[in-house]
Amino acid sequence: MVDLPVIETLNFKGLEAVVLENEQIRCVILPSYGGKMVSFFDKEAAYEWLFQTSASELTVPPYGADFSKYDSSGFDEMFPGIDQGPHPADWKEIPDHGEVWALPWNWEKTEEGISLDVESPAFPYSIRKNVALKGSSIEIEYEALNKSDEPFSFIWTPHALWNLNDSTKLEIPQGLNEVMNVEKGAQHLGEWGTTHSYPETQSLKTGKTLDLAELEPKEDGTVEKFYFTDRLNEGWCSIIQEDISRKLTYRFPEDKVPYLGIWKTRGGYRGEYNVGVEPCTGVYDDVYLAEKIDKVSRIPARGSYTWSLTFSIGGL
């Protein structure tokens, strides 16, 4: 017998929210706010995995907004790029953080969860995602459609910021031993574009040995964003939370989502403390530059690009 989730709507910080819940997990999604997930609650551990906002109400951003001026909690989608800049096809400007985080998504119920979709107002694509709860996992199936006669280049990544602490450790497939720093404000790592060994590296600024698989102390005020320089040979990564003896694992098809980035802020960005683990379809944040170095994915002309993402939780 299939364990179907309970689906209901409620008000979350002033916005309509869709709640999906079963015996293991409960998640909350805001269709009008980029279709983002604002809660991923682990019932067995009584633990909220997603980073939470302290705001009493949320304001839906206008199209093209500066992401840093709006709520950064939860899990939203970055598409068709990450940094603001031109798209290589026609030089139209991609907004900061991409387009779809600041667009309302349509939604409807399905047998195992909900389906959401959005259409770009500026580029020739649309996206649909089906969200399903299955036991202790959230499974998301994506399809991006290209309405033009030319391939459409894009970078997608799940911008999920997790509620983590000094007990957090990152686990990745073997063979990923080098990263590139792409965060200009990562003062302890060095300049943009510098490469470092993983997990241990030496700071170019301080000379201090850093373990990039762990979190810096909160009081250090650090911020890091780096990508592994090699393609993934396995489609998974995990967050280990030792203080509650739990693990959160991502699973995705490595042929469709071949790269991995990590974002960590320990007070260096808006005073926040969170981590983003970001499997992605291209690097390094800028679609135009990713096209030039052939590290970008493409939706075929008049075709589609499909991929999936699963979050699973369990004990250590």
Side-chain angles (χ1 to χ4, degrees):
M1 182 176 177
V2 178
D3 178 23
L4 297 178
V6 174
I7 303 171
E8 61 180 358
T9 58
L10 53 74
N11 184 289
F12 181 89
K13 297 184 181 291
L15 300 176
E16 180 189 50
V18 183
V19 180
L20 291 81
E21 184 170 6
N22 63 15
E23 292 184 354
Q24 288 82 34
I25 53 182
R26 180 179 188 267
C27 72
V28 181
I29 295 172
L30 305 180
S32 66
Y33 198 145
K36 79 170 176 171
M37 188 183 300
V38 290
S39 176
F40 180 23
F41 188 75
D42 179 346
K43 289 186 175 182
E44 183 174 335
Y47 186 75
E48 174 58 65
W49 281 93
L50 281 171
F51 172 67
Q52 298 292 292
T53 179
S54 60
S56 58
E57 290 195 351
L58 293 177
T59 301
V60 175
Y63 176 82
D66 179 345
F67 182 80
S68 68
K69 293 180 167 51
Y70 287 84
D71 175 61
S72 61
S73 69
F75 156 39
D76 57 73
E77 316 284 349
M78 286 196 274
F79 190 101
I82 299 174
D83 283 350
Q84 183 176 0
H87 190 274
D90 54 15
W91 291 88
K92 285 183 182 176
E93 189 83 353
I94 298 172
D96 176 43
H97 206 77
E99 287 190 301
V100 300
W101 74 277
L103 290 173
W105 291 54
N106 304 309
W107 76 277
E108 61 184 6
K109 291 183 180 180
T110 63
E111 183 177 355
E112 295 180 316
I114 64 172
S115 176
L116 301 101
D117 66 86
V118 67
E119 183 171 355
S120 169
F123 297 95
Y125 73 83
S126 62
I127 303 175
R128 175 177 290 273
K129 62 179 180 179
N130 294 314
V131 183
L133 299 193
K134 296 184 180 179
S136 58
S137 298
I138 295 177
E139 298 184 4
I140 309 174
E141 299 286 341
Y142 293 89
E143 182 178 24
L145 298 174
N146 180 2
K147 302 176 183 180
S148 76
D149 294 326
E150 300 294 333
F152 185 81
S153 299
F154 72 95
I155 296 175
W156 166 85
T157 192
H159 187 243
L161 296 183
W162 302 107
N163 172 33
L164 307 177
N165 55 36
D166 295 346
S167 296
T168 302
K169 296 188 183 302
L170 304 178
E171 187 176 48
I172 62 170
Q174 292 185 349
L176 298 177
N177 302 314
E178 183 183 69
V179 299
M180 177 183 284
N181 171 34
V182 297
E183 177 55 55
K184 297 178 178 65
Q187 57 269 49
H188 63 307
L189 278 178
E191 299 301 324
W192 185 95
T194 55
T195 56
H196 301 262
S197 60
Y198 184 91
E200 287 194 349
T201 190
Q202 186 176 45
S203 167
L204 298 180
K205 292 290 187 181
T206 67
K208 176 182 173 184
T209 298
L210 303 172
D211 188 339
L212 297 177
E214 298 182 351
L215 273 65
E216 294 288 287
K218 289 184 178 181
E219 60 269 17
D220 281 17
T222 58
V223 57
E224 302 169 20
K225 174 67 183 289
F226 54 81
Y227 285 96
F228 292 91
T229 54
D230 290 330
R231 292 172 66 100
L232 291 162
N233 53 22
E234 298 177 65
W236 68 273
C237 52
S238 295
I239 299 169
I240 297 172
Q241 199 61 22
E242 294 183 336
D243 56 346
I244 58 172
S245 298
R246 300 290 277 175
K247 177 189 285 193
L248 185 153
T249 298
Y250 291 54
R251 297 195 183 280
F252 47 89
E254 67 273 14
D255 59 328
K256 294 295 190 73
V257 185
Y259 303 103
L260 182 62
I262 305 290
W263 159 269
K264 298 190 291 183
T265 178
R266 305 298 285 163
Y269 174 76
R270 306 201 314 191
E272 295 176 358
Y273 309 104
N274 51 56
V275 173
V277 181
E278 301 179 352
C280 48
T281 64
V283 294
Y284 302 95
D285 287 6
D286 186 302
V287 177
Y288 179 77
L289 294 179
E291 175 88 8
K292 290 176 74 70
I293 60 174
D294 198 27
K295 291 190 175 183
V296 69
S297 294
R298 299 174 181 89
I299 314 172
R302 299 292 173 181
S304 68
Y305 194 98
T306 60
W307 68 100
S308 62
L309 174 66
T310 297
F311 297 137
S312 298
I313 49 176
L316 297 180

